mmCIF file of all heavy atoms in Angstrom:
data_model
loop_
_atom_site.group_PDB
_atom_site.id
_atom_site.type_symbol
_atom_site.label_atom_id
_atom_site.label_comp_id
_atom_site.label_asym_id
_atom_site.label_seq_id
_atom_site.Cartn_x
_atom_site.Cartn_y
_atom_site.Cartn_z
ATOM 1 N N GLY A 25 28.109 6.973 10.809
ATOM 2 C CA GLY A 25 28.574 6.221 9.596
ATOM 3 C C GLY A 25 28.221 4.787 9.592
ATOM 4 O O GLY A 25 28.490 4.035 8.715
ATOM 5 N N GLN A 26 27.575 4.293 10.694
ATOM 6 C CA GLN A 26 27.370 2.926 10.952
ATOM 7 C C GLN A 26 25.924 2.591 10.840
ATOM 8 O O GLN A 26 25.188 3.362 11.272
ATOM 9 C CB GLN A 26 28.034 2.363 12.236
ATOM 10 C CG GLN A 26 29.523 2.508 12.356
ATOM 11 C CD GLN A 26 30.046 2.060 13.744
ATOM 12 O OE1 GLN A 26 29.386 1.347 14.409
ATOM 13 N NE2 GLN A 26 31.188 2.732 14.151
ATOM 14 N N GLU A 27 25.662 1.335 10.606
ATOM 15 C CA GLU A 27 24.269 0.891 10.803
ATOM 16 C C GLU A 27 23.886 0.764 12.298
ATOM 17 O O GLU A 27 24.724 0.124 13.043
ATOM 18 C CB GLU A 27 24.083 -0.515 10.010
ATOM 19 C CG GLU A 27 22.579 -0.989 10.120
ATOM 20 C CD GLU A 27 22.352 -2.168 9.340
ATOM 21 O OE1 GLU A 27 22.280 -2.080 8.207
ATOM 22 O OE2 GLU A 27 22.193 -3.227 9.892
ATOM 23 N N VAL A 28 22.756 1.290 12.689
ATOM 24 C CA VAL A 28 22.584 1.381 14.125
ATOM 25 C C VAL A 28 21.381 0.496 14.477
ATOM 26 O O VAL A 28 21.004 0.293 15.703
ATOM 27 C CB VAL A 28 22.329 2.761 14.628
ATOM 28 C CG1 VAL A 28 23.658 3.539 14.626
ATOM 29 C CG2 VAL A 28 21.208 3.503 13.918
ATOM 30 N N GLY A 29 20.624 0.078 13.460
ATOM 31 C CA GLY A 29 19.389 -0.874 13.823
ATOM 32 C C GLY A 29 18.695 -1.185 12.602
ATOM 33 O O GLY A 29 18.668 -0.482 11.536
ATOM 34 N N VAL A 30 17.882 -2.284 12.735
ATOM 35 C CA VAL A 30 17.046 -2.853 11.660
ATOM 36 C C VAL A 30 15.671 -3.202 12.403
ATOM 37 O O VAL A 30 15.721 -3.889 13.464
ATOM 38 C CB VAL A 30 17.645 -4.040 11.025
ATOM 39 C CG1 VAL A 30 16.675 -4.606 9.896
ATOM 40 C CG2 VAL A 30 18.964 -3.670 10.408
ATOM 41 N N SER A 31 14.563 -2.767 11.857
ATOM 42 C CA SER A 31 13.259 -3.029 12.516
ATOM 43 C C SER A 31 12.766 -4.381 12.182
ATOM 44 O O SER A 31 13.378 -5.006 11.292
ATOM 45 C CB SER A 31 12.285 -1.899 12.028
ATOM 46 O OG SER A 31 11.875 -2.176 10.794
ATOM 47 N N ASP A 32 11.756 -4.804 12.791
ATOM 48 C CA ASP A 32 10.980 -5.995 12.370
ATOM 49 C C ASP A 32 10.229 -5.732 11.066
ATOM 50 O O ASP A 32 10.006 -4.570 10.669
ATOM 51 C CB ASP A 32 9.879 -6.327 13.393
ATOM 52 C CG ASP A 32 10.593 -6.808 14.842
ATOM 53 O OD1 ASP A 32 11.763 -7.123 14.800
ATOM 54 O OD2 ASP A 32 9.940 -6.654 15.757
ATOM 55 N N TRP A 33 9.896 -6.741 10.391
ATOM 56 C CA TRP A 33 8.946 -6.691 9.280
ATOM 57 C C TRP A 33 7.600 -6.239 9.585
ATOM 58 O O TRP A 33 7.029 -6.676 10.607
ATOM 59 C CB TRP A 33 8.885 -8.074 8.509
ATOM 60 C CG TRP A 33 10.287 -8.505 7.910
ATOM 61 C CD1 TRP A 33 11.020 -9.510 8.391
ATOM 62 C CD2 TRP A 33 10.846 -7.956 6.690
ATOM 63 N NE1 TRP A 33 12.229 -9.517 7.626
ATOM 64 C CE2 TRP A 33 12.064 -8.597 6.555
ATOM 65 C CE3 TRP A 33 10.526 -6.913 5.777
ATOM 66 C CZ2 TRP A 33 12.903 -8.372 5.447
ATOM 67 C CZ3 TRP A 33 11.323 -6.747 4.737
ATOM 68 C CH2 TRP A 33 12.571 -7.450 4.566
ATOM 69 N N ILE A 34 7.022 -5.417 8.675
ATOM 70 C CA ILE A 34 5.593 -4.985 8.914
ATOM 71 C C ILE A 34 4.919 -5.350 7.565
ATOM 72 O O ILE A 34 5.260 -5.059 6.475
ATOM 73 C CB ILE A 34 5.643 -3.360 9.020
ATOM 74 C CG1 ILE A 34 6.314 -2.893 10.303
ATOM 75 C CG2 ILE A 34 4.111 -2.850 9.036
ATOM 76 C CD1 ILE A 34 6.625 -1.481 10.477
ATOM 77 N N GLU A 35 3.718 -6.050 7.782
ATOM 78 C CA GLU A 35 2.987 -6.397 6.680
ATOM 79 C C GLU A 35 2.053 -5.186 6.174
ATOM 80 O O GLU A 35 1.514 -4.476 6.892
ATOM 81 C CB GLU A 35 1.992 -7.522 7.039
ATOM 82 C CG GLU A 35 1.286 -8.053 5.727
ATOM 83 C CD GLU A 35 0.465 -9.333 6.005
ATOM 84 O OE1 GLU A 35 0.526 -9.919 7.069
ATOM 85 O OE2 GLU A 35 -0.354 -9.692 5.109
ATOM 86 N N ILE A 36 2.113 -5.099 4.785
ATOM 87 C CA ILE A 36 1.233 -4.035 4.097
ATOM 88 C C ILE A 36 0.188 -4.729 3.491
ATOM 89 O O ILE A 36 0.256 -5.063 2.217
ATOM 90 C CB ILE A 36 2.157 -3.234 3.118
ATOM 91 C CG1 ILE A 36 3.422 -2.743 3.791
ATOM 92 C CG2 ILE A 36 1.267 -2.057 2.504
ATOM 93 C CD1 ILE A 36 3.228 -1.755 4.860
ATOM 94 N N ASP A 37 -0.918 -5.108 4.110
ATOM 95 C CA ASP A 37 -2.039 -5.744 3.534
ATOM 96 C C ASP A 37 -3.073 -4.801 2.972
ATOM 97 O O ASP A 37 -2.961 -3.554 3.206
ATOM 98 C CB ASP A 37 -2.769 -6.784 4.447
ATOM 99 C CG ASP A 37 -3.203 -6.138 5.731
ATOM 100 O OD1 ASP A 37 -3.410 -4.849 5.801
ATOM 101 O OD2 ASP A 37 -3.459 -6.836 6.686
ATOM 102 N N GLN A 38 -4.016 -5.148 2.250
ATOM 103 C CA GLN A 38 -4.989 -4.331 1.630
ATOM 104 C C GLN A 38 -5.819 -3.671 2.639
ATOM 105 O O GLN A 38 -6.189 -2.376 2.382
ATOM 106 C CB GLN A 38 -5.911 -5.199 0.707
ATOM 107 C CG GLN A 38 -6.678 -4.267 -0.200
ATOM 108 C CD GLN A 38 -5.956 -3.370 -1.086
ATOM 109 O OE1 GLN A 38 -5.111 -3.900 -1.862
ATOM 110 N NE2 GLN A 38 -6.251 -2.083 -1.180
ATOM 111 N N ALA A 39 -6.035 -4.148 3.824
ATOM 112 C CA ALA A 39 -6.893 -3.518 4.795
ATOM 113 C C ALA A 39 -6.187 -2.327 5.279
ATOM 114 O O ALA A 39 -6.740 -1.259 5.567
ATOM 115 C CB ALA A 39 -7.129 -4.454 5.951
ATOM 116 N N ARG A 40 -4.780 -2.428 5.501
ATOM 117 C CA ARG A 40 -3.900 -1.249 5.935
ATOM 118 C C ARG A 40 -3.967 -0.124 4.894
ATOM 119 O O ARG A 40 -4.043 0.981 5.082
ATOM 120 C CB ARG A 40 -2.539 -1.646 6.310
ATOM 121 C CG ARG A 40 -1.654 -0.619 6.838
ATOM 122 C CD ARG A 40 -0.132 -1.090 7.004
ATOM 123 N NE ARG A 40 -0.062 -2.227 7.932
ATOM 124 C CZ ARG A 40 0.287 -2.074 9.134
ATOM 125 N NH1 ARG A 40 0.580 -0.815 9.712
ATOM 126 N NH2 ARG A 40 0.539 -3.146 9.846
ATOM 127 N N ILE A 41 -3.872 -0.596 3.633
ATOM 128 C CA ILE A 41 -3.822 0.367 2.515
ATOM 129 C C ILE A 41 -5.098 1.066 2.433
ATOM 130 O O ILE A 41 -5.233 2.351 2.335
ATOM 131 C CB ILE A 41 -3.519 -0.369 1.117
ATOM 132 C CG1 ILE A 41 -2.076 -0.929 1.133
ATOM 133 C CG2 ILE A 41 -3.747 0.585 -0.061
ATOM 134 C CD1 ILE A 41 -1.758 -1.753 0.012
ATOM 135 N N ASN A 42 -6.302 0.322 2.574
ATOM 136 C CA ASN A 42 -7.627 0.946 2.563
ATOM 137 C C ASN A 42 -7.793 1.944 3.659
ATOM 138 O O ASN A 42 -8.401 2.998 3.502
ATOM 139 C CB ASN A 42 -8.690 -0.065 2.551
ATOM 140 C CG ASN A 42 -8.756 -1.009 1.360
ATOM 141 O OD1 ASN A 42 -8.191 -0.586 0.279
ATOM 142 N ND2 ASN A 42 -9.460 -2.038 1.423
ATOM 143 N N ALA A 43 -7.313 1.509 4.903
ATOM 144 C CA ALA A 43 -7.432 2.495 6.035
ATOM 145 C C ALA A 43 -6.607 3.761 5.844
ATOM 146 O O ALA A 43 -7.175 4.870 6.181
ATOM 147 C CB ALA A 43 -6.971 1.693 7.282
ATOM 148 N N PHE A 44 -5.494 3.656 5.300
ATOM 149 C CA PHE A 44 -4.641 4.806 4.892
ATOM 150 C C PHE A 44 -5.367 5.712 4.012
ATOM 151 O O PHE A 44 -5.481 6.901 4.114
ATOM 152 C CB PHE A 44 -3.287 4.433 4.454
ATOM 153 C CG PHE A 44 -2.295 5.519 4.304
ATOM 154 C CD1 PHE A 44 -1.707 6.023 5.432
ATOM 155 C CD2 PHE A 44 -2.147 6.305 3.076
ATOM 156 C CE1 PHE A 44 -0.790 7.076 5.365
ATOM 157 C CE2 PHE A 44 -1.235 7.336 3.011
ATOM 158 C CZ PHE A 44 -0.580 7.766 4.084
ATOM 159 N N ALA A 45 -5.977 5.072 2.823
ATOM 160 C CA ALA A 45 -6.743 5.745 1.947
ATOM 161 C C ALA A 45 -7.964 6.579 2.560
ATOM 162 O O ALA A 45 -8.152 7.762 2.276
ATOM 163 C CB ALA A 45 -7.215 4.901 0.709
ATOM 164 N N ASP A 46 -8.599 5.939 3.467
ATOM 165 C CA ASP A 46 -9.706 6.507 4.225
ATOM 166 C C ASP A 46 -9.157 7.876 4.994
ATOM 167 O O ASP A 46 -9.789 8.802 5.007
ATOM 168 C CB ASP A 46 -10.389 5.635 5.114
ATOM 169 C CG ASP A 46 -11.248 4.716 4.361
ATOM 170 O OD1 ASP A 46 -11.471 4.913 3.080
ATOM 171 O OD2 ASP A 46 -11.626 3.655 4.926
ATOM 172 N N CYS A 47 -8.059 7.594 5.716
ATOM 173 C CA CYS A 47 -7.504 8.692 6.582
ATOM 174 C C CYS A 47 -7.010 9.948 5.665
ATOM 175 O O CYS A 47 -7.172 11.033 6.067
ATOM 176 C CB CYS A 47 -6.266 8.179 7.312
ATOM 177 S SG CYS A 47 -6.711 7.168 8.646
ATOM 178 N N THR A 48 -6.391 9.666 4.558
ATOM 179 C CA THR A 48 -5.874 10.703 3.679
ATOM 180 C C THR A 48 -6.789 11.175 2.543
ATOM 181 O O THR A 48 -6.460 12.131 1.878
ATOM 182 C CB THR A 48 -4.533 10.197 3.146
ATOM 183 O OG1 THR A 48 -4.747 9.135 2.292
ATOM 184 C CG2 THR A 48 -3.549 9.904 4.159
ATOM 185 N N GLU A 49 -7.922 10.450 2.385
ATOM 186 C CA GLU A 49 -8.809 10.714 1.277
ATOM 187 C C GLU A 49 -8.204 10.568 -0.104
ATOM 188 O O GLU A 49 -8.650 11.240 -1.031
ATOM 189 C CB GLU A 49 -9.433 12.094 1.479
ATOM 190 C CG GLU A 49 -10.338 12.209 2.810
ATOM 191 C CD GLU A 49 -11.053 13.519 2.979
ATOM 192 O OE1 GLU A 49 -11.231 14.164 1.949
ATOM 193 O OE2 GLU A 49 -11.456 13.715 4.126
ATOM 194 N N ASP A 50 -7.167 9.692 -0.035
ATOM 195 C CA ASP A 50 -6.515 9.358 -1.347
ATOM 196 C C ASP A 50 -6.940 7.905 -1.777
ATOM 197 O O ASP A 50 -6.421 6.965 -1.416
ATOM 198 C CB ASP A 50 -4.972 9.469 -1.228
ATOM 199 C CG ASP A 50 -4.154 9.095 -2.515
ATOM 200 O OD1 ASP A 50 -4.919 8.757 -3.540
ATOM 201 O OD2 ASP A 50 -3.030 9.273 -2.521
ATOM 202 N N HIS A 51 -8.069 7.884 -2.553
ATOM 203 C CA HIS A 51 -8.715 6.610 -2.994
ATOM 204 C C HIS A 51 -8.334 6.363 -4.507
ATOM 205 O O HIS A 51 -9.167 5.773 -5.183
ATOM 206 C CB HIS A 51 -10.225 6.662 -2.815
ATOM 207 C CG HIS A 51 -10.582 6.767 -1.344
ATOM 208 N ND1 HIS A 51 -10.776 7.822 -0.704
ATOM 209 C CD2 HIS A 51 -10.596 5.681 -0.412
ATOM 210 C CE1 HIS A 51 -11.000 7.618 0.597
ATOM 211 N NE2 HIS A 51 -11.001 6.412 0.799
ATOM 212 N N GLN A 52 -7.145 6.734 -4.963
ATOM 213 C CA GLN A 52 -6.787 6.406 -6.376
ATOM 214 C C GLN A 52 -6.868 4.859 -6.476
ATOM 215 O O GLN A 52 -6.464 4.122 -5.626
ATOM 216 C CB GLN A 52 -5.412 6.941 -6.610
ATOM 217 C CG GLN A 52 -4.954 6.780 -8.135
ATOM 218 C CD GLN A 52 -3.540 7.087 -8.294
ATOM 219 O OE1 GLN A 52 -2.642 7.006 -7.508
ATOM 220 N NE2 GLN A 52 -3.308 7.515 -9.529
ATOM 221 N N PHE A 53 -7.431 4.491 -7.686
ATOM 222 C CA PHE A 53 -7.676 3.017 -7.927
ATOM 223 C C PHE A 53 -6.408 2.250 -7.749
ATOM 224 O O PHE A 53 -6.625 1.089 -7.275
ATOM 225 C CB PHE A 53 -8.314 2.954 -9.296
ATOM 226 C CG PHE A 53 -7.210 2.837 -10.389
ATOM 227 C CD1 PHE A 53 -6.719 1.697 -10.849
ATOM 228 C CD2 PHE A 53 -6.777 4.059 -11.008
ATOM 229 C CE1 PHE A 53 -5.833 1.579 -11.946
ATOM 230 C CE2 PHE A 53 -5.799 3.993 -12.012
ATOM 231 C CZ PHE A 53 -5.388 2.789 -12.458
ATOM 232 N N ILE A 54 -5.283 2.650 -8.043
ATOM 233 C CA ILE A 54 -4.108 1.719 -7.994
ATOM 234 C C ILE A 54 -3.879 1.418 -6.568
ATOM 235 O O ILE A 54 -3.219 0.319 -6.264
ATOM 236 C CB ILE A 54 -2.891 2.557 -8.427
ATOM 237 C CG1 ILE A 54 -1.740 1.625 -8.725
ATOM 238 C CG2 ILE A 54 -2.353 3.722 -7.530
ATOM 239 C CD1 ILE A 54 -1.934 0.622 -9.830
ATOM 240 N N HIS A 55 -4.503 2.045 -5.568
ATOM 241 C CA HIS A 55 -4.358 1.580 -4.171
ATOM 242 C C HIS A 55 -5.551 0.800 -3.676
ATOM 243 O O HIS A 55 -5.306 -0.094 -2.883
ATOM 244 C CB HIS A 55 -4.170 2.838 -3.267
ATOM 245 C CG HIS A 55 -3.127 3.780 -3.646
ATOM 246 N ND1 HIS A 55 -1.764 3.398 -3.692
ATOM 247 C CD2 HIS A 55 -3.126 5.117 -3.970
ATOM 248 C CE1 HIS A 55 -0.998 4.416 -4.157
ATOM 249 N NE2 HIS A 55 -1.782 5.504 -4.282
ATOM 250 N N VAL A 56 -6.717 1.069 -4.167
ATOM 251 C CA VAL A 56 -7.859 0.480 -3.467
ATOM 252 C C VAL A 56 -8.744 -0.364 -4.331
ATOM 253 O O VAL A 56 -9.712 -0.905 -3.824
ATOM 254 C CB VAL A 56 -8.731 1.655 -2.840
ATOM 255 C CG1 VAL A 56 -7.990 2.404 -1.772
ATOM 256 C CG2 VAL A 56 -9.317 2.594 -3.836
ATOM 257 N N ASP A 57 -8.606 -0.490 -5.588
ATOM 258 C CA ASP A 57 -9.436 -1.314 -6.498
ATOM 259 C C ASP A 57 -8.545 -2.428 -7.094
ATOM 260 O O ASP A 57 -7.951 -2.233 -8.146
ATOM 261 C CB ASP A 57 -9.974 -0.325 -7.611
ATOM 262 C CG ASP A 57 -10.963 -1.021 -8.460
ATOM 263 O OD1 ASP A 57 -10.929 -2.255 -8.526
ATOM 264 O OD2 ASP A 57 -11.671 -0.351 -9.152
ATOM 265 N N PRO A 58 -8.547 -3.598 -6.479
ATOM 266 C CA PRO A 58 -7.672 -4.652 -6.902
ATOM 267 C C PRO A 58 -7.911 -5.047 -8.412
ATOM 268 O O PRO A 58 -7.050 -5.478 -9.057
ATOM 269 C CB PRO A 58 -8.010 -5.871 -5.945
ATOM 270 C CG PRO A 58 -8.461 -5.103 -4.706
ATOM 271 C CD PRO A 58 -9.214 -3.880 -5.122
ATOM 272 N N GLU A 59 -9.212 -5.000 -8.816
ATOM 273 C CA GLU A 59 -9.554 -5.396 -10.157
ATOM 274 C C GLU A 59 -8.970 -4.432 -11.200
ATOM 275 O O GLU A 59 -8.375 -4.856 -12.144
ATOM 276 C CB GLU A 59 -11.139 -5.559 -10.374
ATOM 277 C CG GLU A 59 -11.615 -6.080 -11.661
ATOM 278 C CD GLU A 59 -13.062 -6.259 -11.711
ATOM 279 O OE1 GLU A 59 -13.617 -6.982 -10.841
ATOM 280 O OE2 GLU A 59 -13.719 -5.665 -12.615
ATOM 281 N N ALA A 60 -9.120 -3.173 -10.957
ATOM 282 C CA ALA A 60 -8.608 -2.209 -11.916
ATOM 283 C C ALA A 60 -7.142 -2.090 -11.875
ATOM 284 O O ALA A 60 -6.378 -2.041 -12.851
ATOM 285 C CB ALA A 60 -9.222 -0.800 -11.594
ATOM 286 N N ALA A 61 -6.551 -2.186 -10.637
ATOM 287 C CA ALA A 61 -5.056 -2.249 -10.480
ATOM 288 C C ALA A 61 -4.476 -3.406 -11.133
ATOM 289 O O ALA A 61 -3.238 -3.389 -11.548
ATOM 290 C CB ALA A 61 -4.699 -2.221 -9.044
ATOM 291 N N ALA A 62 -5.183 -4.590 -11.313
ATOM 292 C CA ALA A 62 -4.646 -5.781 -11.953
ATOM 293 C C ALA A 62 -4.315 -5.544 -13.373
ATOM 294 O O ALA A 62 -3.439 -6.216 -13.938
ATOM 295 C CB ALA A 62 -5.654 -6.905 -11.742
ATOM 296 N N THR A 63 -4.915 -4.549 -14.057
ATOM 297 C CA THR A 63 -4.680 -4.330 -15.403
ATOM 298 C C THR A 63 -3.406 -3.332 -15.633
ATOM 299 O O THR A 63 -3.197 -3.073 -16.801
ATOM 300 C CB THR A 63 -5.960 -3.603 -16.007
ATOM 301 O OG1 THR A 63 -6.037 -2.431 -15.552
ATOM 302 C CG2 THR A 63 -7.178 -4.397 -15.823
ATOM 303 N N THR A 64 -2.858 -2.841 -14.534
ATOM 304 C CA THR A 64 -1.682 -1.889 -14.688
ATOM 305 C C THR A 64 -0.338 -2.710 -14.689
ATOM 306 O O THR A 64 -0.424 -4.038 -14.418
ATOM 307 C CB THR A 64 -1.678 -1.050 -13.460
ATOM 308 O OG1 THR A 64 -1.242 -1.754 -12.361
ATOM 309 C CG2 THR A 64 -2.926 -0.235 -13.283
ATOM 310 N N PRO A 65 0.663 -2.119 -15.093
ATOM 311 C CA PRO A 65 1.869 -2.891 -14.996
ATOM 312 C C PRO A 65 2.278 -3.446 -13.603
ATOM 313 O O PRO A 65 3.180 -4.296 -13.405
ATOM 314 C CB PRO A 65 2.965 -1.804 -15.349
ATOM 315 C CG PRO A 65 2.246 -0.834 -16.191
ATOM 316 C CD PRO A 65 0.781 -0.757 -15.618
ATOM 317 N N PHE A 66 1.711 -2.988 -12.481
ATOM 318 C CA PHE A 66 1.964 -3.452 -11.274
ATOM 319 C C PHE A 66 1.270 -4.747 -11.008
ATOM 320 O O PHE A 66 1.624 -5.537 -10.003
ATOM 321 C CB PHE A 66 1.562 -2.425 -10.132
ATOM 322 C CG PHE A 66 2.306 -1.153 -10.311
ATOM 323 C CD1 PHE A 66 1.561 0.040 -10.392
ATOM 324 C CD2 PHE A 66 3.648 -1.030 -10.284
ATOM 325 C CE1 PHE A 66 2.230 1.240 -10.517
ATOM 326 C CE2 PHE A 66 4.286 0.192 -10.378
ATOM 327 C CZ PHE A 66 3.622 1.329 -10.417
ATOM 328 N N GLY A 67 0.216 -5.139 -11.746
ATOM 329 C CA GLY A 67 -0.473 -6.317 -11.617
ATOM 330 C C GLY A 67 -1.365 -6.395 -10.326
ATOM 331 O O GLY A 67 -1.817 -7.567 -10.070
ATOM 332 N N GLY A 68 -1.564 -5.359 -9.621
ATOM 333 C CA GLY A 68 -2.352 -5.370 -8.451
ATOM 334 C C GLY A 68 -2.210 -4.085 -7.637
ATOM 335 O O GLY A 68 -1.533 -3.158 -8.083
ATOM 336 N N THR A 69 -2.835 -3.956 -6.482
ATOM 337 C CA THR A 69 -2.773 -2.801 -5.709
ATOM 338 C C THR A 69 -1.352 -2.509 -5.091
ATOM 339 O O THR A 69 -0.667 -3.584 -4.821
ATOM 340 C CB THR A 69 -3.844 -2.638 -4.713
ATOM 341 O OG1 THR A 69 -3.775 -3.898 -3.875
ATOM 342 C CG2 THR A 69 -5.301 -2.611 -5.284
ATOM 343 N N ILE A 70 -1.046 -1.297 -4.905
ATOM 344 C CA ILE A 70 0.186 -0.902 -4.319
ATOM 345 C C ILE A 70 -0.150 0.108 -3.145
ATOM 346 O O ILE A 70 -1.134 0.748 -3.109
ATOM 347 C CB ILE A 70 1.184 -0.312 -5.183
ATOM 348 C CG1 ILE A 70 0.671 0.922 -5.794
ATOM 349 C CG2 ILE A 70 1.634 -1.310 -6.317
ATOM 350 C CD1 ILE A 70 1.693 1.784 -6.702
#
């Protein structure tokens, strides 16, 4: 019932997102196309 630990911060940069997209073959624009993703409510890639 108690908190047992907190990890360090991990940066989620575009290079990491692109590498994950390549590994999983999930290249949906919201992840890998900053220009197209900028037009969504997210304002950029996620």
Side-chain angles (χ1 to χ4, degrees):
Q26 298 176 29
E27 183 174 286
V28 293
V30 179
S31 75
D32 294 336
W33 291 105
I34 300 171
E35 185 175 353
I36 310 296
D37 60 13
Q38 191 61 52
R40 186 185 297 262
I41 294 169
N42 291 346
F44 189 84
D46 289 343
C47 287
T48 61
E49 299 184 16
D50 180 354
H51 293 95
Q52 184 184 34
F53 81 93
I54 195 68
H55 305 302
V56 298
D57 185 341
E59 188 175 299
T63 67
T64 71
F66 301 123
T69 55
I70 59 170

